Amino acid sequence: MKKADYIWMDKEFVKWDDAKVHVLTHTLHYGNGVFEGTRAYKTERGLAIFRLTDHTKRLINSAKITAITPPYSLSELEEAQIELLKRNRFESNVYIRPLIYLGYGIMGLYHVKAPVNVAIAAWEWGSYLGDEGLENGIRVKISSFARNSVKSTMGKAKAVANYLNSQMAKFEALEAGYEEALLLDEEGFVAEGSGECFFIVRDGVLITPPNDNSLESITQDTVLKIAEKKGIKIERRRITRDEVYICDEAFFTGTAAEVTPIREVDARVIGNGRRGDMTRELQKAYFDVVYGKDPDFEHMLTYIN
Ligand SMILES: Cc1ncc(COP(=O)(O)O)c(C=O)c1O
């Protein structure tokens, strides 16, 4: 990870190496914390945060779901992210990681009296699943782990604790020689990747599951809006494992993963084994949007000047 100069911690700009917490930080022990993952791109008009308000709203909603009261308002949190990017003088694309966590002060599972702290880090970060993956597609394994059940966890929250499941699925996939995991839900329908939403293309139709068993993904929403503008036929419906094996194209979407083609699932070659035509078209359009080259989506960018 490439260090930056400062991390924002509860209104202070703290030097990167000094951004530390106590070992009895509540979230570290019991896993109640919420976070975001947001990107800023170097556009022709300078650095621009993509969908800042949507990400920050989701952060606040995640906190509400897990019964944490954020100490700052939406606009304070947005301003902190903008100011952090200004102070760090980044030279290339940036990943922003706001975290609302329960701090040091009490122990025990009743969390309500724990102090609520906020930290925002940002650093220069390239493609999550590799430049080669963006170009040629990745190999994916359907996980032996089911995605967290909606009966026992709350997947609309980007909550720290939810990511143990993602982490184990990712670990299993990588140790088995794949690049990413695809998780099914408790009923066996496709849920999402360890940190991405999932799309397939069949006979020219773009298909992605509803968000019953996935995060309400901002990238998925962006891709659907792009597809709508292009007049591509869209279906939001459940997908089974066997349908994945026989689809024409498949890809992941996520802030980190952007639009990453999938060339193989469980040793079944997807389509022609390379990035499919619709995937390429949507990927290009997505990069045009985040780099401020599509006036129809300009409102999604917050420029850092
Ligand atoms: C589990 C999970 N699903 C989906 C996504 C994609 O969401 P977004 O496009 O908002 O980054 C992410 C990444 O945030 C994720 O962690």
Side-chain angles (χ1 to χ4, degrees):
M1 186 193 298
K2 193 172 172 201
K3 287 184 190 178
D5 291 338
Y6 298 105
I7 291 180
W8 188 95
M9 293 181 83
D10 293 301
K11 293 191 164 173
E12 305 281 337
F13 289 94
V14 179
K15 284 223 157 42
W16 180 281
D17 287 332
D18 298 332
K20 295 177 181 158
V21 294
H22 194 280
V23 73
L24 292 180
T25 295
H26 199 279
T27 300
L28 209 50
H29 295 256
Y30 305 115
N32 190 4
V34 296
F35 64 100
E36 261 311 312
T38 308
R39 272 193 191 267
Y41 289 87
K42 274 274 174 192
T43 72
E44 280 168 5
R45 289 176 48 203
L47 200 58
I49 305 178
F50 187 59
R51 299 191 67 168
L52 172 64
T53 301
D54 294 317
H55 279 283
T56 312
K57 272 189 190 157
R58 189 171 67 184
L59 179 70
I60 288 172
N61 282 339
S62 293
K64 183 174 186 183
I65 291 170
T66 63
I68 295 176
T69 306
Y72 310 108
S73 66
L74 178 75
S75 63
E76 283 174 320
L77 290 168
E78 286 186 15
E79 206 40 57
Q81 292 171 79
I82 292 168
E83 194 51 39
L84 182 70
L85 294 207
K86 282 185 186 166
R87 293 222 182 182
N88 278 311
R89 300 174 191 282
F90 291 113
E91 278 163 16
S92 58
N93 294 348
V94 174
Y95 187 78
I96 310 169
R97 166 53 54 82
L99 171 70
I100 303 181
Y101 62 101
L102 300 175
Y104 165 70
I106 63 146
M107 291 302 268
L109 287 177
Y110 187 64
H111 71 283
V112 170
K113 295 218 168 67
V116 180
N117 295 116
V118 181
I120 308 172
W123 62 91
E124 289 178 1
W125 213 20
S127 55
Y128 177 62
L129 294 166
D131 293 340
E132 156 80 15
L134 281 178
E135 183 89 17
N136 296 319
I138 59 166
R139 296 175 58 250
V140 170
K141 180 187 189 310
I142 295 188
S143 185
S144 71
F145 290 93
R147 198 251 186 190
N148 290 322
S149 161
V150 291
K151 290 180 197 158
S152 53
T153 54
M154 299 181 286
K156 299 278 173 287
K158 203 167 160 60
V160 171
N162 290 346
Y163 284 84
L164 178 59
N165 183 242
S166 286
Q167 212 176 110
M168 292 300 105
K170 179 95 184 176
F171 170 74
E172 177 189 68
L174 265 68
E175 292 299 316
Y178 293 84
E179 286 144 288
E180 188 51 282
L182 177 63
L183 289 88
L184 307 180
D185 65 21
E186 292 277 0
E187 287 183 83
F189 293 96
V190 170
E192 60 181 346
S194 70
E196 307 87 8
C197 279
F198 180 75
F199 286 74
I200 59 170
V201 179
R202 287 193 78 188
D203 300 323
V205 181
L206 184 64
I207 307 161
T208 190
N211 294 119
D212 302 354
N213 280 290
S214 57
L215 189 70
E216 284 182 341
S217 156
I218 291 166
T219 319
Q220 180 188 41
D221 175 70
T222 307
V223 167
L224 288 170
K225 286 188 164 76
I226 292 168
E228 214 174 298
K229 183 184 147 189
K230 286 179 172 291
I232 292 169
K233 186 162 183 239
I234 296 164
E235 283 178 14
R236 296 290 311 259
R237 62 163 174 81
R238 301 204 287 190
I239 298 170
T240 53
R241 171 196 284 255
D242 49 4
E243 192 178 15
V244 175
Y245 294 157
I246 58 168
C247 69
D248 303 323
E249 301 180 30
F251 60 92
F252 278 130
T253 61
T255 298
E258 298 163 314
V259 177
T260 299
I262 296 169
R263 64 183 165 92
E264 202 183 299
V265 178
D266 294 347
R268 276 79 163 183
V269 171
I270 302 300
N272 59 11
R274 281 177 284 130
R275 176 173 56 183
D277 291 343
M278 192 187 291
T279 307
R280 184 190 296 110
E281 187 185 348
L282 292 169
Q283 190 189 47
K284 183 186 176 305
Y286 179 75
F287 283 123
D288 283 349
V289 166
V290 298
Y291 280 103
K293 292 181 183 160
D294 186 335
D296 290 341
F297 292 86
E298 187 69 22
H299 61 280
M300 292 182 173
L301 276 68
T302 302
Y303 287 93
I304 308 299
N305 294 314

